[in-house]
Amino acid sequence: MNRIWNSIVGKLWVTILLLVSFVLFIFTVFMLEFLGSYHKEQSEQSLRQTAAAIASIVDDEALNENKLAIISELMTNTMSVLVAKSSNEILYAKQEGVNQQQIQQEIISNRAFQEVFEITEPIVKELILPSNTEKDKKSSYMVLGFPLKGDGELHGAIFIYKNPDAVYQTSKNTTKIVFFAAAVAFILTTVFAFFLSSRITYPLRKMREHAFELSKGRFDSKLETKQNDEIGQLAVAFNQMGRQLKHHLEVINQEKEQLSSILTSMTDAVITFNRDKTILVSNPPAERLLQKWFVTKGLDSTRPIPEELYHMLDHVLNFEDKLDEELELGKSYYSITFSPLYSGNAIRGAVAVIRDKTEETKLEKLKSDFIANVSHELRTPIAMLQGYSEAIIDGVVTSEEEQQDMIRVIYDESQRMGRLVTDLLDLARMEAGHMTLYKETVPLVSVIERMTQKFGQAAKEHEVHLRFESEFTPDSMIHIDEDRIEQVLTNLIDNAIRHTSADGSVTVSILKEQTFAKIQVSDTGQGIPQEDLPYVFERFYKADKARTRSKGGTGLGLAITRNIIEAHKGTITVESGEHQGTKFTFYLPMSE
């Protein structure tokens, strides 16, 4: 029931019913008033006509039985007649029921009818007289006093009064008819109002359901438009609105997906901040950067970004200015751009684009160091070549023996320059991924042992003990590029012998490590300082910077070694300490 009253159908239905009920009430009141006046006028007219007819019979002649019979015929059951010569003398009276004498006496003696004996116009009055049906009851009568004229003179009056029951019965019947008609009209109006309200509100209910469907994101639903009125036009507008919403939502989703794809594919970190400095949006690089900062800050991680970035953010939010800065945070370098975000004319936050330039900075440093090292490495042999050649050209050296010595130095330095250039080209090809491996399946133990024994003579010359050890059986096979692995061992063993003092030892061992062959080259030499270990495999690294050049090193051997091992899908590590010897370990997969 509450649902009906709260619905537009119930409200419209009640509104129509109230309006129709009000109209019916006013109509019934006026109709009853009109019918009451109409019955009164009809009764008065009937009394006048009857009185005139009786007067025409009574005037100028005395009453006899024939005239009385005619008068009786003219009277109806509801009428009573009284013929009086004066207020004291009644000539004829006809009335049915009780209280006849009292009724007649009160009519004649009534002051309102005293003039009827003196004037020529009839008098009509409503009087409260004793009822002719009950003794102790009063009723309202309509009484007509009609003067009698004979020979042009007034000689009495006729009083005709109507039984009130007849008038009341007529009014009652009329009232019943009016109320019955009003009730029928009310019922019909109720049914029609409910039908009309349902008919009108049915498309409105459909529109409401359609609106709920739209609110749930179901834009494919469509309203039927069978009407051409305002409701039909509203349905058409609803359908157009649904299509437009679907189109705009698709455009927004496309733009959102496009923006998300752009943010996701960006290598730079993008972080959007709210006005209260909370993070709203961040892309994957930003998430990784935030995790890195979180780990770095440790327990002091209530603020997710470094303080330097908060200072920049404060500046942007307070001064609505764009900032471009390059910051060094810890051991990392960042290029940071802060830009304000606006909502209308008010600033609502800021967006930060953070580029990690650590690798770029390192590469720039490596590039500078590379150029400096190459220049440094080439400067000495070029200076020696230039100096000795000028000495020979200028004839400074006169003896054949001294000339041969200078020529030998020039040759050695040119050979050293050639090795340096060759190593640089090899390293460049390896780092560019252009190195080709010619792998073959070879016996592991015999190949590594042969490469080791190749340095037996050099070890004797340096008074160093060279040993070989293996946990593998002689028939163990491995798939490698033999020449490249020999280049690796040559670099490692040669470095070990050159940096090991007399009576020291260099050991080459092959160990089993799951599916890998673990090859170690260890020595008892001077070792490498701990602070230099992270840079061992970089270009131009030299453990003994004072003696290496004299021993013919280029500083590129270990960098080449690492690239060869990684090309074989292996790894290489170093363990060392100053004056504790050095151990290089590399792993080669036994099968691929």
Side-chain angles (χ1 to χ4, degrees):
M1 184 62 69
N2 290 331
R3 184 178 179 183
I4 294 177
W5 295 127
N6 293 329
S7 66
I8 191 171
V9 176
K11 293 177 181 177
L12 185 60
W13 181 36
V14 170
T15 301
I16 295 174
L17 285 182
L18 290 176
L19 181 61
V20 172
S21 299
F22 178 75
V23 172
L24 284 176
F25 174 75
I26 298 298
F27 174 77
T28 303
V29 170
F30 279 102
M31 181 60 71
L32 291 176
E33 185 69 23
F34 169 75
L35 291 176
S37 299
Y38 175 76
H39 287 305
K40 186 176 180 181
E41 289 178 359
Q42 290 295 318
S43 298
E44 184 178 341
Q45 185 178 1
S46 176
L47 292 176
R48 286 179 181 274
Q49 290 176 354
T50 304
I54 294 174
S56 65
I57 296 172
V58 174
D59 284 346
D60 299 330
E61 295 183 13
L63 291 174
N64 54 39
E65 292 183 2
N66 292 330
K67 290 183 179 182
L68 294 176
I70 294 172
I71 292 173
S72 297
E73 290 293 332
L74 292 174
M75 301 298 294
T76 63
N77 295 330
T78 60
M79 290 184 184
S80 299
V81 62
L82 175 63
V83 181
K85 189 173 183 181
S86 65
S87 59
N88 297 321
E89 185 180 355
I90 297 176
L91 299 177
Y92 174 75
K94 181 184 178 184
Q95 177 184 334
E96 295 181 358
V98 298
N99 298 323
Q100 295 182 7
Q101 296 296 328
Q102 291 88 341
I103 293 174
Q104 295 171 7
Q105 201 62 39
E106 288 190 17
I107 292 174
I108 293 176
S109 60
N110 191 282
R111 288 185 179 183
F113 290 106
Q114 292 300 316
E115 296 180 357
V116 77
F117 295 101
E118 300 174 358
I119 61 176
T120 60
E121 295 296 328
I123 298 174
V124 179
K125 294 290 182 181
E126 285 190 10
L127 300 178
I128 302 299
L129 301 174
S131 175
N132 64 345
T133 57
E134 298 179 19
K135 286 187 176 183
D136 298 326
K137 184 179 179 182
K138 296 281 188 179
S139 297
S140 176
Y141 286 81
M142 179 176 290
V143 182
L144 171 67
F146 197 91
L148 292 175
K149 293 182 292 182
D151 295 332
E153 295 181 1
L154 295 173
H155 58 86
I158 300 173
F159 296 95
I160 299 178
Y161 48 98
K162 201 165 188 178
N163 188 347
D165 291 340
V167 178
Y168 292 154
Q169 188 63 35
T170 304
S171 299
K172 186 177 180 181
N173 292 335
T174 305
T175 303
K176 286 182 179 180
I177 294 172
V178 171
F179 277 113
F180 177 76
V184 171
F186 182 81
I187 293 173
L188 293 177
T189 303
T190 301
V191 175
F192 175 74
F194 186 79
F195 172 76
L196 180 63
S197 59
S198 300
R199 181 76 175 175
I200 293 174
T201 57
Y202 175 76
L204 295 179
R205 292 196 303 271
K206 286 296 183 181
M207 290 179 193
R208 181 192 63 182
E209 295 173 1
H210 183 64
F212 281 128
E213 292 294 321
L214 292 180
S215 67
K216 295 175 182 177
R218 300 169 185 167
F219 300 107
D220 294 328
S221 58
K222 187 177 179 182
L223 282 172
E224 296 183 3
T225 55
K226 297 180 179 179
Q227 299 170 271
N228 294 324
D229 54 5
E230 290 82 355
I231 295 178
Q233 295 172 1
L234 183 60
V236 173
F238 255 90
N239 291 332
Q240 292 177 351
M241 182 181 67
R243 289 193 295 269
Q244 289 296 323
L245 284 174
K246 182 179 180 181
H247 172 70
H248 290 309
L249 192 61
E250 289 176 350
V251 172
I252 291 173
N253 287 334
Q254 290 176 0
E255 292 178 353
K256 184 178 179 181
E257 291 175 359
Q258 184 178 4
L259 180 60
S260 178
S261 299
I262 292 173
L263 287 176
T264 303
S265 61
M266 287 180 65
T267 57
D268 295 341
V270 179
I271 305 175
T272 302
F273 296 91
N274 204 348
R275 180 73 186 183
D276 59 358
K277 301 178 186 177
T278 56
I279 297 175
L280 293 178
V281 179
S282 57
N283 64 344
E287 293 292 337
R288 292 192 292 271
L289 193 58
L290 289 171
Q291 292 176 1
K292 176 182 176 182
W293 286 337
F294 179 82
V295 172
T296 303
K297 296 180 77 172
L299 296 176
D300 186 21
S301 57
T302 55
R303 295 162 70 88
I305 63 176
E307 292 298 326
E308 293 84 352
L309 269 67
Y310 276 114
H311 295 324
M312 296 178 67
L313 180 58
D314 285 334
H315 179 86
V316 172
L317 294 176
N318 293 330
F319 297 98
E320 301 183 9
D321 191 16
K322 181 179 179 181
L323 279 182
D324 290 311
E325 296 288 343
E326 291 191 1
L327 296 178
E328 180 181 358
L329 302 174
K331 296 182 180 180
S332 301
Y333 299 87
Y334 300 99
S335 174
I336 304 172
T337 302
F338 269 94
S339 300
L341 295 175
Y342 294 93
S343 178
N345 294 325
I347 188 169
R348 64 177 179 86
V351 59
V353 180
I354 305 172
R355 175 174 294 178
D356 190 348
K357 299 186 71 174
T358 304
E359 293 299 325
E360 185 179 343
T361 304
K362 287 183 179 179
L363 289 175
E364 288 293 330
K365 187 175 184 303
L366 286 175
K367 181 179 178 181
S368 300
D369 293 344
F370 175 76
I371 294 173
N373 287 327
V374 170
S375 301
H376 179 74
E377 293 295 330
L378 291 176
R379 182 174 59 186
T380 300
I382 290 175
M384 295 182 69
L385 288 173
Q386 184 179 359
Y388 281 105
S389 60
E390 286 178 355
I392 294 174
I393 292 173
D394 293 340
V396 176
V397 181
T398 56
S399 66
E400 184 71 22
E401 184 179 354
E402 290 179 345
Q403 286 184 357
Q404 289 297 324
D405 290 340
M406 289 186 179
I407 292 171
R408 171 60 59 186
V409 171
I410 291 173
Y411 176 76
D412 291 341
E413 293 301 324
S414 64
Q415 286 290 98
R416 181 182 168 194
M417 288 177 62
R419 289 196 303 274
L420 177 62
V421 172
T422 301
D423 288 347
L424 284 172
L425 291 175
D426 287 344
L427 184 60
R429 282 196 297 268
M430 291 177 185
E431 292 182 345
H434 297 156
M435 180 174 59
T436 303
L437 297 178
Y438 300 96
K439 292 185 177 183
E440 296 178 347
T441 302
V442 297
L444 173 62
V445 177
S446 60
V447 167
I448 301 301
E449 185 177 10
R450 177 183 61 77
M451 295 177 185
T452 303
Q453 296 303 325
K454 185 177 68 172
F455 289 91
Q457 185 62 33
K460 290 179 181 179
E461 293 176 359
H462 287 81
E463 299 180 1
V464 174
H465 302 286
L466 181 63
R467 291 194 293 269
F468 174 78
E469 300 174 353
S470 175
E471 293 181 354
F472 286 88
T473 58
D475 59 348
S476 299
M477 307 298 288
I478 191 169
H479 193 64
I480 57 173
D481 186 333
E482 187 175 348
D483 291 338
R484 291 295 186 182
I485 297 301
E486 185 173 356
Q487 185 178 357
V488 169
L489 284 174
T490 298
N491 280 326
L492 295 179
I493 297 173
D494 181 63
N495 285 340
I497 293 174
R498 286 190 292 112
H499 292 92
T500 300
S501 58
D503 294 330
S505 64
V506 174
T507 303
V508 178
S509 57
I510 310 175
L511 307 175
K512 292 182 180 180
E513 187 77 23
Q514 297 180 357
T515 59
F516 289 86
K518 180 181 178 181
I519 304 173
Q520 291 181 335
V521 179
S522 58
D523 61 62
T524 59
Q526 61 190 16
I528 303 172
Q530 286 290 331
E531 61 271 15
D532 288 348
L533 286 179
Y535 310 103
V536 165
F537 296 104
E538 293 184 3
R539 301 174 182 179
F540 300 110
Y541 171 78
K542 296 176 182 178
D544 186 353
K545 298 176 177 59
R547 297 189 299 159
T548 299
R549 187 174 293 114
S550 64
K551 296 181 180 180
T554 62
L556 299 174
L558 292 179
I560 294 173
T561 296
R562 181 182 64 181
N563 280 277
I564 293 174
I565 296 301
E566 290 177 352
H568 280 81
K569 299 180 180 179
T571 58
I572 184 169
T573 59
V574 59
E575 299 175 18
S576 183
E578 200 166 4
H579 306 299
Q580 296 178 4
T582 304
K583 181 190 294 183
F584 282 91
T585 304
F586 63 92
Y587 298 84
L588 294 176
M590 292 298 296
S591 61
E592 295 186 358

